[in-house]
């Protein structure tokens, strides 16, 4: 399973280093075999040789150049960062990224072989307008995206669940993930108000291959507890196979 933490604009470089060393110790001491990612702020990325994969929350589709405030592959290479988050709802709805721009970014990082966690999710008004509207909204977020890219990880994150403490019902998560499963062979993560106390239930659901966690992962002990849940669920699934 995949367990990923998006720090957003939280934690300093010093705090991230502390977090990472506690996380590595936990993974080592508990023989964790799950795939673990953290996405710190751009000022807190490291060249890191441990088990934890460090990804970047955002990067511009360029090697370098005149793009004030942005970073490109030259800067990522310096820290051996090979994973990028693309399409996050805050980039779409707060920072104004269009689907066309997101698709260009996806294409660029795909051509450079990066692992991409690609996020999609509908706002509340779309969810309220019915299943077919919701599915066509989600389809519109897949325009220009190669769903068969071998380094794609898909994350379904309903906008109304992000940072609100509200999650879809288990049935809704399963039905959405099952619909997405028909479009690709990529691992599919659920994101949106996952916390230490609901991670186990969500990770157990059919067609949920992992979780992408925001505020619930800022405390490293909580994140470790979610990783532990993923480890136990994976073991149970293997035993019951
Ligand atoms: C996110 O922003 O990717 C996210 C899932 O946030 P939260 O867990 O805080 O809802």
């Amino acid at each position: 399973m995949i367990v990923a933490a998006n720090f957003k604009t939280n934690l300093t470089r010093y705090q991230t280093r502390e977090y990472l060393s506690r996380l590595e110790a936990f993974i080592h001491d508990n023989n964790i075999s799950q795939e673990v990612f953290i996405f710190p702020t751009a000022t807190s990325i490291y060249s890191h040789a441990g088990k934890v994969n460090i990804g970047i929350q955002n990067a511009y589709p360029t090697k370098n150049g005149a793009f004030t405030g942005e970073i490109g592959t030259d800067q990522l290479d310096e820290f051996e960062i090979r994973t990028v988050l693309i399409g996050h709802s805050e980039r779409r709805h707060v920072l104004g990224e269009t689907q066309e721009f997101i698709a260009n970014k996806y294409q660029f990082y795909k051509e450079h072989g990066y692992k991409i966690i690609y996020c999609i999710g509908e706002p509340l008004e779309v969810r309220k307008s019915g299943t077919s509207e919701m599915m066509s909204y989600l389809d519109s977020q897949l325009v220009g995206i190669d769903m068969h890219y071998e380094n794609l990880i898909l994350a379904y994150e309903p906008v109304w669940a992000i940072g609100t403490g509200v999650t879809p019902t288990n049935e809704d998560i399963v039905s959405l993930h099952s619909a997405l499963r028909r479009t690709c062979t990529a691992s599919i993560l659920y994101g949106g108000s996952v916390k230490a106390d609901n991670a186990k239930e969500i990770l157990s659901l059919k067609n949920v291959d992992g979780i992408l966690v925001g505020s619930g992962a800022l405390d490293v002990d909580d994140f470790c507890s979610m990783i532990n849940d993923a480890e136990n669920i994976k073991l149970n699934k293997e035993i019951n196979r």
Side-chain angles (χ1 to χ4, degrees), residues 5-96:
N6 173 13
F7 292 176
K8 311 192 187 193
T9 318
N10 296 298
L11 305 189
T12 62
R13 188 168 180 80
Y14 173 77
Q15 289 169 325
T16 301
R17 189 178 273 283
E18 291 288 297
Y19 188 109
L20 188 53
S21 83
R22 287 181 59 190
L23 187 54
E24 281 293 353
F26 173 81
I27 289 172
H28 176 266
D29 295 349
N30 294 279
N31 269 325
I32 298 292
S33 60
Q34 310 310 301
E35 233 182 315
V36 177
F37 291 86
I38 62 165
F39 292 86
T41 65
T43 56
S44 306
I45 54 177
Y46 288 100
S47 287
H48 181 65
K51 298 263 189 207
V52 178
N53 301 290
I54 301 186
I56 192 81
Q57 294 174 23
N58 177 51
Y60 203 74
T62 190
K63 177 172 161 52
N64 53 41
F67 305 101
T68 301
E70 297 284 347
I71 59 172
T73 56
D74 274 358
Q75 289 72 38
L76 299 178
D77 285 350
E78 190 178 11
F79 298 102
E80 296 158 282
I81 301 291
R82 297 292 302 161
T83 305
V84 59
L85 206 58
I86 297 181
H88 191 278
S89 76
E90 284 148 17
R91 303 266 354 144
R92 293 177 188 271
H93 302 297
V94 183
L95 284 312

Side-chain angles (χ1 to χ4, degrees), residues 118-133:
Y118 183 69
C119 306
I120 61 170
E122 79 292 350
L124 189 56
E125 64 275 17
V126 174
R127 155 84 45 156
K128 282 185 174 160
S129 61
T131 307
S132 79
E133 284 79 0

Side-chain angles (χ1 to χ4, degrees), residues 5-236:
N6 173 13
F7 292 176
K8 311 192 187 193
T9 318
N10 296 298
L11 305 189
T12 62
R13 188 168 180 80
Y14 173 77
Q15 289 169 325
T16 301
R17 189 178 273 283
E18 291 288 297
Y19 188 109
L20 188 53
S21 83
R22 287 181 59 190
L23 187 54
E24 281 293 353
F26 173 81
I27 289 172
H28 176 266
D29 295 349
N30 294 279
N31 269 325
I32 298 292
S33 60
Q34 310 310 301
E35 233 182 315
V36 177
F37 291 86
I38 62 165
F39 292 86
T41 65
T43 56
S44 306
I45 54 177
Y46 288 100
S47 287
H48 181 65
K51 298 263 189 207
V52 178
N53 301 290
I54 301 186
I56 192 81
Q57 294 174 23
N58 177 51
Y60 203 74
T62 190
K63 177 172 161 52
N64 53 41
F67 305 101
T68 301
E70 297 284 347
I71 59 172
T73 56
D74 274 358
Q75 289 72 38
L76 299 178
D77 285 350
E78 190 178 11
F79 298 102
E80 296 158 282
I81 301 291
R82 297 292 302 161
T83 305
V84 59
L85 206 58
I86 297 181
H88 191 278
S89 76
E90 284 148 17
R91 303 266 354 144
R92 293 177 188 271
H93 302 297
V94 183
L95 284 312
E97 290 190 2
T98 63
Q99 184 59 28
E100 190 184 4
F101 176 70
I102 288 168
N104 285 342
K105 201 193 277 194
Y106 185 96
Q107 182 62 22
F108 178 87
Y109 281 97
K110 178 192 142 186
E111 278 165 8
H112 287 77
Y114 281 67
K115 192 165 275 189
I116 299 174
I117 299 194
Y118 183 69
C119 306
I120 61 170
E122 79 292 350
L124 189 56
E125 64 275 17
V126 174
R127 155 84 45 156
K128 282 185 174 160
S129 61
T131 307
S132 79
E133 284 79 0
M134 184 175 95
M135 293 316 287
S136 55
Y137 184 91
L138 293 175
D139 277 346
S140 74
Q141 296 188 320
L142 300 179
V143 171
I145 302 301
D146 176 2
M147 293 293 278
H148 301 291
Y149 176 43
E150 74 260 27
N151 289 327
L152 165 65
I153 298 169
L154 192 61
Y156 170 59
E157 299 203 303
V159 180
W160 50 274
I162 294 184
T164 58
V166 181
T167 55
T169 63
N170 289 346
E171 293 68 31
D172 284 346
I173 295 175
V174 171
S175 106
L176 214 293
H177 278 233
S178 304
L180 291 172
R181 175 73 78 222
R182 291 191 280 277
T183 69
C184 65
T185 53
S187 294
I188 306 173
L189 315 185
Y190 169 78
S193 292
V194 181
K195 309 274 177 219
D197 59 9
N198 64 5
K200 190 172 175 188
E201 189 176 344
I202 292 172
L203 283 162
S204 311
L205 297 174
K206 188 166 174 234
N207 284 328
V208 171
D209 303 313
I211 46 177
L212 176 55
V213 189
S215 53
L218 289 177
D219 180 315
V220 67
D221 292 332
D222 287 345
F223 190 50
C224 291
S225 142
M226 297 183 218
I227 294 167
N228 202 41
D229 288 337
E231 184 77 16
N232 291 334
I233 289 163
K234 182 77 192 289
L235 287 176
N236 284 341

